[in-house]
Amino acid sequence: MIQLTEAATLDIQDEIAVITINNPPVNALGYPVRKGIADGIDQVVQNDQVKAIVITCKGRTFMAGADIREFGKPPLEPMLYQVLETLDECPKMTLSAIHGTAFGGGLETALSCHFRIAVPTAQFGLPEVKLGILPGAGGTQRLPRVIGIDKALKMITSGNPIGATEALQDGLIDEIVEGDLKEAGIQFAKKVLAENRPLIRVSQNDEKIAAAKGNNEIFDHFRKSIARKTRGFQAPENCIKAVEASINLPFKEGLKRERELFTELLKGHQSAAQRYVFFAERQASKIPDFPKDIPLLDIKKVGIIGGGTMGGGIAMNFVNAGYLVTIIETKQEFLNRGLGVIKKNYEITASKGKMSTEDVDKRMSLITGSLNLKDLADVDLVIEAVFENMDLKKEIFSKLDGICKEGAIMATNTSFLNVNEIASVTNRPEYVLGLHFFSPANVMRLLEIVRGAKTDKSVLATSLSVAKKIKKVAVVVGVCYGFVGNRMIAQRGRETGLLLLEGATVDQIDRVIFNFGFPMGPFVLSDLVGLNVGWDDKSSSGSTIREVLCEAGRFGQKNGLGYYKYEQGSRTPIPDPDSLKLIADFSAKKGYEQREIGDDEIIKRAIYALINEGAKILEEGIAVRPSDIDIIWINGYGWPAYLGGPMFYGDLIGLDKVLETIKQFHAKFGDVWKPANLLEKLVAEGKGFKDLT
Ligand code: 3H9
């Protein structure tokens, strides 16, 4: 065996050469891998004895893409596209033997071989678009030639992978193999040689794209079909342009066009933001000074108290991951309703073909309903999801303390209450923490894990591990009112509310926030959630705009009147002079002078309020690192990934500029705008939030 580089070996057995890549953890195509493949091919080409090359990987996966950490650094030759050109033109038979995830540059490598085989669990994808770039080593030119334009467009612009069965059906792989993969690769190569099969160079094979030539409608139609989902992102459009080039240009010209479009994206700030988000998401699960080998508690059975929208959504997460779930309600009627909603949600998924009816039954069979808290005696994790009332929560936790078995984790789903106070009513505060899900809990990816003052490290580590199993992006936060996300959004809410009183209109603010990249503006969102959620007509005293609107019977979309009006059966908000008058009257009563407010002021007040509060949160140690705050905002509040999150955005604008504006607001609007000490310190030192990570 020859050691080609520290990440690649060459093993020649008779007429077959095997290049094995070993670059943990995911065999990313960094320099030693690229150089290893290039040198391996070189040696094989000069060796008359060898007739075929099998490329395979050690460890948990085939190559999962280019090494993202190398982007933005001085390039080290050979570049991936150069290696793949050599592979493409290799006169000897080439084969990729795939397990795990052949992603990005990994799939591009496989596509540059004559043949591809894979194990049944392998996955294939070009996820570059999620990093704000496009497949830049021939993926946009080769994939359409293998699986056709329609499918290639879908895979490249969504970044979503397909499994081995689909890949086989689409002609992306030649065979699914069982057993030892390297051996299967050698046998496949021998078979091809024995049968004298022609070698298939994808670059020379235009059969599957021929029909699309000159048919630009395919692309126009496709653009429209993804426009809503990809609003604001630059990469999907460049992906489409690159695929267009695959049919309109000869292969080598197409490659050049692909590189231009790739480079354009790589230089832009969107890709920098999206790559930052990729690593930030992975970093979020790492707690500084936390030992790696911390023992985890065994979680199999989960109890959920409250079967309403929140409790039901939380239950679905666990059921989807195969956990046994017991839902506790106070009345049979509520329990039936809660279980009914869960079943209906699964049936809707099944009706869309995304799950079988047997799966619906299987998942429902994992759920037990009960009216008795004592049925939680044997659960390993209990999550309380009742409404936000400290006394009620304390009563529940004190009961749980007497019911739950030793070692059970007791979590509250509170979105702002003091977790330490809740823990204090138990004799085991080290087993108590917050697991703050976001609504709809079965859809939203974010989970704030609230670490109490006494939460045990193994309880925290177990919660992080469970979060991964239920496919949540977990971020550990400290105890304060509203934790990270809700504490920050309260600042934005205050500013957008004041802007209304000062003369901005409801639809102006919503338009500006929507155009910034959020899925919707704050007032459309309030109408959607319902203005009367948490509103009490007995204690309402007309002291906020929301109270005024509720008192006028405007509860939001649910009754067709909120900040906007809605036609029956429609969700389209229509600006309503009646609500504007209520707001203007309220503003006059409060003594505000209405003025013309520019879009720029709206952005600055809504967004810089987040940055300033984020800095205070960091200062207080409520969030571990700035990127954790960004992950919370992207996954829980719809912050556009291409702007990296509020802290990343602060750095992008320049903290000196942000601070200057905050100081102006402080002088004009008072102490709510007091600059965070951390912000002042960073600016004084010429640093950004990035320097804290
Ligand atoms: C590309 O290929 C461009 C080309 O078209 C053109 C070039 C010219 N690079 O996710 P995990 C690290 S762009 C560097 O927790 P899992 C990751 O940070 C690339 N590092 O594991 C983490 O490090 P740490 C296109 C990478 O089992 C560790 O590996 N490919 C890369 O849950 C484990 O990762 C992609 O976008 C990378 N490419 O999931 C695929 N990938 O332990 C990106 C991972 O220090 N990767 N790391 O925190 C993934 O989707 C997942 O990592 C994967 C494994 C599914 C493979």
Side-chain angles (χ1 to χ4, degrees):
M1 191 165 62
I2 303 159
Q3 192 76 39
L4 296 162
T5 62
E6 71 250 42
T9 56
L10 177 66
D11 189 13
I12 298 176
Q13 294 174 15
D14 307 324
E15 53 184 8
I16 313 289
V18 179
I19 296 177
T20 304
I21 304 302
N22 186 14
N23 186 28
V26 296
N27 289 316
L29 279 141
Y31 169 75
V33 174
R34 297 196 302 274
K35 175 99 174 84
I37 298 175
D39 288 357
I41 297 170
D42 216 33
Q43 293 198 23
V44 169
V45 168
Q46 290 169 33
N47 184 335
D48 290 341
Q49 176 204 331
V50 178
K51 302 271 184 310
I53 307 172
V54 174
I55 299 179
T56 190
C57 291
K58 276 220 156 90
R60 60 168 135 147
T61 181
F62 192 74
M63 291 160 265
D67 189 334
I68 308 166
R69 286 170 227 263
E70 284 186 359
F71 291 156
K73 294 189 183 148
L76 273 179
E77 296 213 349
M79 308 292 284
L80 185 57
Y81 73 91
Q82 294 167 331
V83 177
L84 299 192
E85 199 175 337
T86 315
L87 192 56
D88 188 329
E89 288 167 4
C90 180
K92 310 209 168 171
M93 184 211 140
T94 54
L95 163 86
S96 279
I98 300 165
H99 74 292
T101 44
F103 279 1
L107 182 55
E108 290 175 303
T109 303
L111 283 166
S112 304
C113 290
H114 300 119
F115 300 99
R116 292 160 290 281
I117 62 166
V119 299
T121 51
Q123 288 191 294
F124 309 84
L126 292 174
E128 286 87 342
V129 72
K130 296 183 181 177
L131 300 167
I133 51 173
L134 55 77
T140 65
Q141 306 305 298
R142 288 194 178 89
L143 190 65
R145 285 176 160 83
V146 175
I147 64 171
I149 293 291
D150 292 345
K151 253 213 133 161
L153 274 173
K154 219 162 130 193
M155 273 181 79
I156 294 170
T157 58
S158 72
N160 294 334
I162 59 171
T165 312
E166 199 175 340
L168 184 66
Q169 278 163 5
D170 292 343
L172 181 55
I173 54 173
D174 300 284
E175 208 170 285
I176 295 179
V177 296
E178 306 274 354
D180 184 81
L181 183 57
K182 178 176 155 190
E183 195 45 41
I186 293 172
Q187 292 314 319
F188 188 94
K190 284 186 173 166
K191 192 170 68 180
V192 169
L193 292 173
E195 291 171 1
N196 217 1
R197 278 205 229 168
L199 304 184
I200 301 164
R201 280 180 70 193
V202 171
S203 59
Q204 306 299 305
N205 200 344
D206 285 3
E207 219 173 280
K208 288 212 174 154
I209 56 171
K213 277 194 201 288
N215 184 355
N216 285 333
E217 268 175 34
I218 301 178
F219 297 98
D220 293 341
H221 184 259
F222 188 77
R223 273 192 180 89
K224 279 187 199 133
S225 74
I226 61 164
R228 221 165 72 98
K229 248 190 177 161
T230 58
R231 181 178 66 95
F233 287 89
Q234 287 159 359
E237 174 55 24
N238 278 28
C239 288
I240 296 175
K241 282 184 182 157
V243 176
E244 264 178 321
S246 77
I247 60 164
N248 292 329
L249 298 174
F251 181 75
K252 288 218 164 167
E253 293 294 309
L255 281 185
K256 264 195 210 149
R257 180 73 184 125
E258 179 194 78
R259 276 212 78 68
E260 277 166 21
L261 292 161
F262 172 84
T263 309
E264 183 181 300
L265 291 172
L266 193 64
K267 284 185 182 156
H269 72 73
Q270 289 207 352
S271 160
Q274 287 176 258
R275 280 180 279 132
Y276 159 85
V277 171
F278 176 85
F279 289 113
E281 201 172 299
R282 280 150 184 85
Q283 227 191 341
S285 60
K286 295 177 182 123
I287 320 284
D289 309 323
F290 231 61
K292 259 197 174 160
D293 51 356
I294 204 148
L296 299 182
L297 304 166
D298 191 21
I299 308 291
K300 289 201 174 73
K301 282 186 172 180
V302 179
I304 291 163
I305 306 173
T309 313
M310 203 32 142
I314 296 173
M316 287 175 74
N317 288 304
F318 285 95
V319 167
N320 295 346
Y323 289 89
L324 287 170
V325 171
T326 302
I327 297 180
I328 304 289
E329 256 302 350
T330 48
K331 285 189 181 158
Q332 191 62 42
E333 173 196 348
F334 298 158
L335 195 54
N336 293 347
R337 193 166 58 207
L339 293 173
V341 170
I342 295 176
K343 184 147 191 251
K344 198 159 163 233
N345 283 340
Y346 282 135
E347 282 168 350
I348 291 170
T349 310
S351 72
K352 290 180 186 158
K354 291 182 183 162
M355 168 188 292
S356 67
T357 43
E358 294 82 62
D359 272 342
V360 176
D361 294 341
K362 217 158 120 192
R363 291 188 197 203
M364 287 311 292
S365 74
L366 295 177
I367 310 178
T368 312
S370 164
L371 301 178
N372 192 348
L373 218 51
K374 290 197 174 128
D375 284 337
L376 299 182
D378 67 341
V379 300
D380 308 300
L381 162 68
V382 53
I383 301 171
E384 161 278 305
V386 304
F387 59 88
E388 294 286 32
N389 177 305
M390 180 55 96
D391 291 339
L392 178 62
K393 290 191 192 262
K394 278 182 168 172
E395 187 189 324
I396 289 174
F397 271 78
S398 140
K399 282 185 188 157
L400 285 177
D401 197 24
I403 293 170
C404 290
K405 67 179 183 192
E406 200 182 315
I409 299 180
M410 305 198 299
T412 168
N413 177 52
T414 180
S415 39
F416 54 87
L417 295 175
N418 188 323
V419 173
N420 293 333
E421 197 178 330
I422 297 172
S424 72
V425 301
T426 72
N427 288 309
R428 38 176 148 168
E430 61 279 14
Y431 283 92
V432 179
L433 83 173
L435 290 180
H436 179 208
F437 289 82
F438 286 70
S439 189
N442 51 320
V443 178
M444 299 296 286
R445 293 180 75 215
L446 179 64
L447 177 67
E448 277 184 335
I449 299 187
V450 190
R451 182 181 192 172
K454 294 188 178 159
T455 307
D456 190 78
K457 282 187 177 173
S458 66
V459 170
L460 201 60
T462 304
S463 302
L464 278 163
S465 147
V466 168
K468 195 161 187 191
K469 288 190 185 131
I470 62 170
K471 299 201 166 75
K472 293 290 171 199
V473 177
V475 181
V476 175
V477 299
V479 176
C480 68
Y481 193 81
F483 317 122
V484 172
N486 283 346
R487 172 168 160 182
M488 285 170 75
I489 203 163
Q491 303 296 314
R492 191 185 83 173
R494 181 198 67 229
E495 285 307 307
T496 49
L498 286 170
L499 282 160
L500 269 189
L501 297 178
E502 292 166 33
T505 60
V506 170
D507 56 317
Q508 181 195 8
I509 296 171
D510 275 344
R511 173 179 49 75
V512 170
I513 299 292
F514 176 79
N515 288 343
F516 182 81
F518 282 95
M520 61 184 88
F523 303 114
V524 183
L525 180 63
S526 296
D527 275 359
L528 180 69
V529 174
L531 299 183
N532 62 338
V533 175
W535 172 75
D536 181 4
D537 62 340
K538 287 178 209 78
S539 59
S540 187
S541 58
S543 60
T544 62
I545 297 176
R546 188 174 76 125
E547 284 191 345
V548 168
L549 293 174
C550 284
E551 285 165 24
R554 305 183 74 103
F555 297 154
Q557 257 190 42
K558 64 179 86 166
N559 72 343
L561 288 174
Y563 283 99
Y564 297 89
K565 63 182 174 188
Y566 301 83
E567 276 167 5
Q568 204 167 11
S570 162
R571 288 174 174 271
T572 309
I574 305 166
D576 184 2
D578 290 350
S579 85
L580 294 185
K581 174 146 187 354
L582 286 168
I583 294 165
D585 289 349
F586 180 75
S587 161
K589 199 173 103 187
K590 291 274 171 191
Y592 283 90
E593 235 172 71
Q594 301 237 323
R595 63 186 164 94
E596 189 79 10
I597 291 178
D599 292 356
D600 184 55
E601 181 178 341
I602 295 175
I603 290 287
K604 286 187 171 141
R605 286 182 56 190
I607 305 296
Y608 291 8
L610 297 177
I611 299 172
N612 200 30
E613 196 64 19
K616 290 178 185 172
I617 282 170
L618 285 169
E619 216 173 282
E620 293 166 29
I622 298 295
V624 173
R625 48 181 89 82
S627 59
D628 284 2
I629 299 179
D630 288 334
I631 290 305
I632 287 175
W633 271 80
I634 287 170
N635 293 289
Y637 297 85
W639 180 286
Y642 57 78
L643 288 180
M647 313 319 276
F648 181 92
Y649 181 75
D651 281 351
L652 192 68
I653 299 289
L655 290 191
D656 51 346
K657 292 200 186 101
V658 172
L659 179 62
E660 197 185 307
T661 307
I662 288 178
K663 281 182 172 166
Q664 287 163 11
F665 289 160
H666 187 203
K668 194 166 167 191
F669 302 114
D671 263 355
V672 287
W673 277 100
K674 186 173 178 324
N677 295 333
L678 178 65
L679 200 53
E680 303 222 59
K681 182 171 173 282
L682 287 174
V683 172
E685 291 170 359
K687 290 181 178 166
F689 291 120
K690 63 180 182 316
D691 298 305
L692 299 174
T693 303

